[in-house]
Structures are given as structure tokens and as C-alpha cells.
């Protein structure tokens, strides 16, 4: 913040949240800056319809913006009834007061919509205060208050009276407007940089997947003779590779037990572990605390999972696949997994990567057509076409993939760190501006200067 000016006169406050403010500022409860008390949406559950008036809850705020894509809708009759209590309008501020406490958005347009009870609607007494309140609610000082004052039974919740009495810094309306204009400009620059880093991360992930998919379907030698695999999704493969159904790579493929075979009353505090998506999706077999007795383990021995078994999530997004590690506790799979045991001559880690490749995903899409996407069964898995390089190549390809993953993951982590630092910078800048730690009264919007130059040159 060294490049910004500071106020020459500041005064200590008796407030627990904002200790120091410019001499001519005040600390006031939010309600003193508002037109009436803060309101919230209905506490009843309305009947949702396919089309109608958009109806937002706290999940309708993402990255300080209102998100209408995929939102719920209510009838015009319900909207009219709910509007008697609360109806957001342009210039209002929305604050998450239940579950995701502290989420905040500014209503930028005249779009017709309404809100549910997890959102509080804050209406400033002067339209010029709206953006200032919006930025204050993103500051360290206000986010801390929201966190401290939210009670928690099953989820965090901010009471309406509590919101009305949150402590806010209060400059003159003209100064508040200037601070908001400054923050609009500066946060837009930071948000643009964050968006570019997010795009970079997406590109890196796509490139990583492309490199892996190419390695497991084309090999590592670009000069090797190729042959037609006679499979649309694979195209050409190295001439010396075999192409076969996945079932012929395995000694067996078994789906988890039917739900009636393993019930909650079978679970015990310790014993033999029950593995499911909880472990496969993060590829972490140390987590989880579902166990069965030795007797049940013996009776369900068909579903015992062994080191190097490939475990596949059969419900949800295809591609959640892991290899059961050597050091994991003994246990069985639950009904949401399929386990494939490979012939000893094959590398399960190579086939894990192959099963996660684009070529297999396209096959899965094709084989699932007419069925339920996101659900895989043994019949579909048996029909997946697999490439079979010599074992030495399987090992080399897997080692290459690990090296590529490490390289791309390092780049992704650097981009994620940059985003984290920029977000911290954003909050720090907002906090400094709205609490008077920096003086932006003489700040000039450079965009206005550019516009003036353009007009003059014209």
C-alpha cells in the first residue's frame, strides 16, 4: 500500500473491529446507512417451476456476482406474495446469512428476481452508498464480524438484528462514492489477472490430459510404424501393439455387493475396511471409517480388494479410477465400485491412465448411449477396447506420464498460488480503502483521462 497516500488526521475508536479511522469519519451500525431495516426472503419452501421469476439462494452468489444460470424459478403469484416482505432491486446489496455466511453481491441491473431466506437484502439510504457497503462487506473487518457473530447449530447463521448492527466505517457520501469508484477500477484489474490465471490453469489441465492420452494410445516413439486399430476412437496405434477388449486384460471384473448385502447395521468401530468413492475419487485410501467384522469379511470375500486391483467408480463422473496400494488396510469394495484384477503380466498403473484417457471416455459415451450417462457397469467395461503395449513399454509410458504430471502440476500450483496472492491483495486493498488506511480522495480514474485524450484528438 506504500504507493497510496494516507490521511494526515486519524482518530482512535472504541470499536472492537475498526480501531482507527480518519478524524471526520464515524463508526455506525449498518442500519444507520440503510433505508429501513435489512430484510430477507421467505422462510417457506415455495413450489419451484421450470420457468418463471428467478429465485436465488446463497448459491446464487459466485465470486461476488449474481449467478442466474441453473437457478430455481417461482410463479408470478408467489413472487408477488413474497415481494410484500422483500423484493431486491438495482442498487441493493445481497449478503449470505446462512450456510455460506459472508457471501456478498451487488445488484447491478433491473433484472426481475427474488430471494430465499438464506439471503439478506440491504438497501442503502442513498444510492451512492450502495457500492461502499458492498465493498465494506468484503473487507477483513466485516468478514470477521460475520464469522464471529454467526451462530452454529447444524450450519452457520447470521440473525437479522445482528446484520443491522454490524459495525461499519462511515465517511461522507461523496467520499464513499470516490472510494467505490477507486475500488471498481482497482479490483477490476485484479479480477482480470485472476481470470487469466484461471484460464491458464484450464489450458494446462487440458494439455496435461492431451499428453497423457497421446502417450497411452500412440506410445513414446514418434517414428514407430503404425497400424489401423479398426476402432474409430483410437485411430492408428503402434504396429507391434495388440488391441483387445478390456476384459481379456483381466482375470476378473467384479461389481460391489448389492446394497442389501452390506447394510449400515453391519458396520463396526474397527475391523476390515469398506472402500468406496470416498477413497477412489481423491486417491486416498487412508481416509474413511467404515468397517465390518471378520465374519462379514469372510462371507463377502468375493469383494475383497487386493493390491494392484483397479478400482472404478461406477456412479458419477466416469474417470474416477485408482489402483489399490500395497500398504492399504484389508477390506472390501462397496456397491458403488467395480474392481478389475489384471493379469500379472500387465502394469495396472498404465491401464489406470488408459482408462482415464479421452479414447476410453469416447467409448464410454458411445456404449452408454440410450442408458444413463455417468453410470458404468461390468457390461460396458467388458466392451471397452484396450491397447496392449509390451510390458516394458507400459512401464516406460507410465514413468513418462508421472514426469509429465509432475511438470504440469508444478505449473498449475504456481498459477493457483498467484491467484491466492492476488485474492489476498484484493481483500487487503478493499480493507485499506474502506477503513481509511489509505486516502483516495485525489485519485483520478485513468480511463477518464484516456477518454478525454481521445475526444481531444478527434
Amino acid at each position: 500500500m506504500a504507493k497510496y497516500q494516507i490521511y494526515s488526521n486519524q482518530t482512535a475508536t472504541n470499536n472492537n473491529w475498526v480501531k482507527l479511522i480518519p478524524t471526520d469519519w464515524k463508526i455506525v451500525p449498518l442500519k444507520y446507512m440503510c433505508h429501513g431495516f435489512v430484510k430477507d426472503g421467505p422462510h417457506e419452501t415455495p413450489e419451484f417451476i421450470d420457468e418463471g421469476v428467478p429465485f436465488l439462494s446463497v448459491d446464487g452468489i459466485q465470486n461476488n456476482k449474481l449467478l442466474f444460470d441453473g437457478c430455481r424459478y417461482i410463479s408470478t403469484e408467489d413472487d408477488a406474495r413474497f415481494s410484500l416482505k422483500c423484493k431486491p432491486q438495482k442498487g441493493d446489496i445481497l449478503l449470505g446469512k446462512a450456510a455460506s455466511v459472508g457471501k456478498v453481491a451487488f445488484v447491478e441491473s433491473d433484472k426481475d428476481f427474488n430471494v430465499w431466506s438464506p439471503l439478506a437484502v440491504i438497501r442503502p439510504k442513498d444510492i451512492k452508498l450502495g457500492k461502499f457497503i458492498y465493498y465494506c462487506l468484503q473487507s477483513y473487518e466485516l468478514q470477521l464480524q460475520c464469522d464471529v457473530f454467526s451462530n452454529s447449530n447444524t450450519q452457520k447463521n447470521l440473525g437479522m438484528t445482528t446484520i443491522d448492527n454490524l459495525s461499519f466505517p462511515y465517511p461522507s457520501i461523496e467520499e464513499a462514492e470516490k472510494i467505490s469508484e477507486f475500488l471498481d477500477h482497482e479490483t477490476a484489474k485484479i479480477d482480470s489477472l485472476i481470470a487469466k490465471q484461471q484460464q491458464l490453469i484450464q489450458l494446462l489441465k487440458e494439455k496435461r490430459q492431451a499428453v497423457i492420452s497421446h502417450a497411452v494410445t500412440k506410445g513414446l516413439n514418434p517414428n514407430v510404424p503404425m497400424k489401423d486399430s479398426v476402432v474409430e476412437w483410437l485411430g492408428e496405434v503402434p504396429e507391434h501393439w495388440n488391441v483387445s477388449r478390456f476384459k481379456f486384460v483381466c482375470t476378473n471384473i467384479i461389481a460391489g455387493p448389492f446394497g442389501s448385502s452390506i447394510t449400515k447395521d453391519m458396520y463396526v468401530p474397527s475391523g476390515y475396511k469398506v472402500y468406496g468413492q470416498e477413497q477412489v475419487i481423491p486417491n486416498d485410501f487412508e481416509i474413511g471409517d467404515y468397517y465390518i467384522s471378520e465374519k462379514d469379511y469372510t462371507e463377502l470375500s468375493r469383494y475383497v480388494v487386493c493390491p494392484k486391483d483397479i478400482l472404478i467408480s461406477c456412479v458419477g463422473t466416469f474417470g474416477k479410477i485408482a489402483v489399490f496400494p500395497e500398504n492399504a488396510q484389508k477390506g472390501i469394495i462397496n456397491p458403488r465400485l467395480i474392481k478389475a484384477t489384471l493379469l500379472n503380466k500387465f502394469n495396472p498403473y498404465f491401464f489406470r491412465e488408459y482408462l482415464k484417457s479421452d479414447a476410453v471416455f469416447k467409448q464410454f459415451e458411445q456404449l452408454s448411449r440410450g442408458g444413463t450417462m455417468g453410470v458404468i457397469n461390468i457390461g460396458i467395461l467388458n466392451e471397452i477396447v484396450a491397447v496392449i503395449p509390451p510390458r516394458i513399454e507400459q512401464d516406460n509410458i507410465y514413468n513418462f506420464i508421472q514426469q509429465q504430471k509432475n511438470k504440469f502440476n508444478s505449473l498449475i500450483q504456481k498459477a493457483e498460488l498467484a491467484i491466492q496472492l492476488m485474492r489476498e491483495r484484493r481483500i487487503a486493498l478493499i480493507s485499506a480503502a474502506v477503513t481509511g488506511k489509505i486516502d483516495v480522495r485525489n485519485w483520478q480514474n485513468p480511463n477518464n483521462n484516456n477518454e478525454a485524450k481521445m475526444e481531444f484528438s478527434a
Side-chain angles (χ1 to χ4, degrees):
M1 304 300 169
K3 69 177 182 177
Y4 299 111
Q5 296 179 351
I6 60 172
Y7 285 86
S8 57
N9 296 313
Q10 294 194 325
T11 303
T13 73
N14 295 321
N15 187 268
N16 291 328
W17 311 102
V18 185
K19 304 290 188 182
L20 197 67
I21 56 173
T23 302
D24 54 351
W25 289 28
K26 301 175 184 176
I27 301 292
V28 300
L30 173 60
K31 60 190 175 186
Y32 288 4
M33 303 169 72
C34 295
H35 178 75
F37 294 111
V38 174
K39 296 179 173 62
D40 64 353
H43 288 250
E44 66 179 89
T45 301
E47 179 183 350
F48 298 122
I49 56 179
D50 293 335
E51 293 183 7
V53 178
F55 191 66
L56 299 185
S57 188
V58 71
D59 56 357
I61 297 177
Q62 299 294 335
N63 297 320
N64 301 119
K65 301 290 184 183
L66 295 180
L67 182 68
F68 290 96
D69 290 344
C71 75
R72 306 172 184 88
Y73 295 90
I74 58 174
S75 66
T76 53
E77 292 78 13
D78 277 346
D79 175 56
R81 182 162 57 88
F82 298 153
S83 296
L84 296 174
K85 178 188 180 187
C86 175
K87 178 71 171 179
Q89 65 184 36
K90 184 177 180 180
D92 287 348
I93 304 96
L94 303 185
L95 174 67
K97 68 181 188 69
S100 299
V101 169
K103 275 189 170 185
V104 60
F106 185 74
V107 183
E108 307 250 11
S109 73
D110 290 314
K111 183 179 179 69
D112 184 33
F113 72 101
N114 217 322
V115 296
W116 212 351
S117 59
L119 286 178
V121 179
I122 301 167
R123 183 158 298 158
K125 68 180 183 181
D126 188 305
I127 193 169
K128 296 177 181 178
L129 281 175
K131 272 290 184 76
F132 181 76
I133 294 172
Y134 161 73
Y135 281 120
C136 280
L137 284 167
Q138 297 176 59
S139 69
Y140 291 127
E141 291 77 8
L142 266 298
Q143 285 290 307
L144 182 58
Q145 289 181 64
C146 288
D147 185 57
V148 169
F149 290 136
S150 57
N151 58 56
S152 178
N153 294 322
T154 56
Q155 64 178 15
K156 285 190 171 185
N157 186 74
L158 268 178
M160 299 300 289
T161 303
T162 300
I163 297 172
D164 278 324
N165 289 288
L166 292 172
S167 295
F168 271 69
Y170 193 13
S172 68
I173 290 177
E174 292 72 23
E175 196 167 351
E177 187 178 27
K178 187 72 169 181
I179 291 169
S180 299
E181 184 185 359
F182 164 77
L183 289 174
D184 279 347
H185 181 268
E186 294 300 314
T187 59
K189 291 195 296 185
I190 296 172
D191 291 342
S192 176
L193 293 172
I194 289 173
K196 288 178 181 177
Q197 289 297 312
Q198 290 171 331
Q199 291 170 4
L200 174 61
I201 289 171
Q202 184 59 37
L203 289 172
L204 287 169
K205 288 179 177 179
E206 291 172 2
K207 177 65 174 175
R208 179 181 62 189
Q209 184 57 43
V211 168
I212 293 171
S213 292
H214 186 274
V216 295
T217 56
K218 308 299 180 187
L220 303 180
N221 183 355
N223 300 315
V224 71
M226 305 291 281
K227 67 179 179 182
D228 187 357
S229 68
V230 199
V231 178
E232 178 185 354
W233 313 285
L234 283 176
E236 289 190 332
V237 298
E239 191 175 65
H240 62 289
W241 288 17
N242 291 325
V243 178
S244 178
R245 300 289 178 189
F246 181 66
K247 61 186 175 183
F248 297 122
V249 178
C250 305
T251 58
N252 59 58
I253 302 175
I254 297 173
F258 289 110
S260 57
S261 301
I262 180 166
T263 56
K264 287 185 177 180
D265 58 6
M266 294 170 61
Y267 293 139
V268 294
S270 62
Y272 293 87
K273 201 162 182 177
V274 179
Y275 293 101
Q277 291 176 317
E278 179 185 4
Q279 291 80 28
V280 169
I281 291 174
N283 194 24
D284 185 349
F285 289 85
E286 293 185 4
I287 61 175
D289 54 4
Y290 289 112
Y291 298 91
I292 56 174
S293 67
E294 184 174 3
K295 174 179 174 294
D296 289 329
Y297 176 76
T298 302
E299 291 180 357
L300 295 168
S301 60
R302 184 166 184 262
Y303 309 105
V304 168
V305 60
C306 300
K308 298 186 179 180
D309 280 348
I310 297 177
L311 302 182
I312 304 161
S313 171
C314 56
V315 180
T317 304
F318 181 71
K320 304 303 181 184
I321 303 169
V323 175
F324 193 67
E326 297 277 356
N327 58 351
Q329 289 180 258
K330 290 183 178 180
I332 64 168
I333 57 172
N334 74 9
R336 300 176 78 84
L337 293 183
I338 293 174
K339 73 181 180 85
T341 303
L342 270 58
L343 293 163
N344 286 333
K345 61 182 178 179
F346 298 129
N347 182 334
Y349 295 96
F350 167 84
F351 282 98
R352 178 192 68 188
E353 299 300 334
Y354 176 74
L355 289 172
K356 294 168 70 174
S357 70
D358 294 337
V360 172
F361 183 76
K362 289 174 183 175
Q363 292 184 63
F364 171 67
E365 281 186 318
Q366 185 73 21
L367 292 168
S368 298
R369 194 150 292 159
T372 304
M373 283 300 296
V375 176
I376 186 171
N377 54 45
I378 291 177
I380 291 174
L381 196 58
N382 280 336
E383 294 306 307
I384 293 293
V385 175
V387 292
I388 310 174
R391 174 59 190 255
I392 186 66
E393 280 193 67
Q394 293 176 32
D395 296 343
N396 290 339
I397 290 169
Y398 175 67
N399 291 334
F400 168 80
I401 288 172
Q402 288 302 101
Q403 293 170 4
Q404 293 300 306
K405 280 185 176 181
N406 290 338
K407 181 181 77 172
F408 281 105
N409 290 346
S410 175
L411 294 172
I412 289 169
Q413 286 171 3
K414 288 178 182 178
E416 289 172 340
L417 177 60
I419 289 174
Q420 180 184 335
L421 293 173
M422 284 186 281
R423 284 177 173 158
E424 291 173 0
R425 160 74 179 173
R426 187 183 193 277
I427 295 173
L429 183 62
I430 290 172
S431 299
V434 300
T435 59
K437 292 184 179 67
I438 58 175
D439 183 354
V440 300
R441 287 174 295 180
N442 296 321
W443 176 80
Q444 297 295 319
N445 190 333
N447 293 338
N448 295 339
N449 295 334
N450 291 337
E451 289 172 6
K453 288 178 182 177
M454 289 175 65
E455 289 176 4
F456 181 76
S457 63

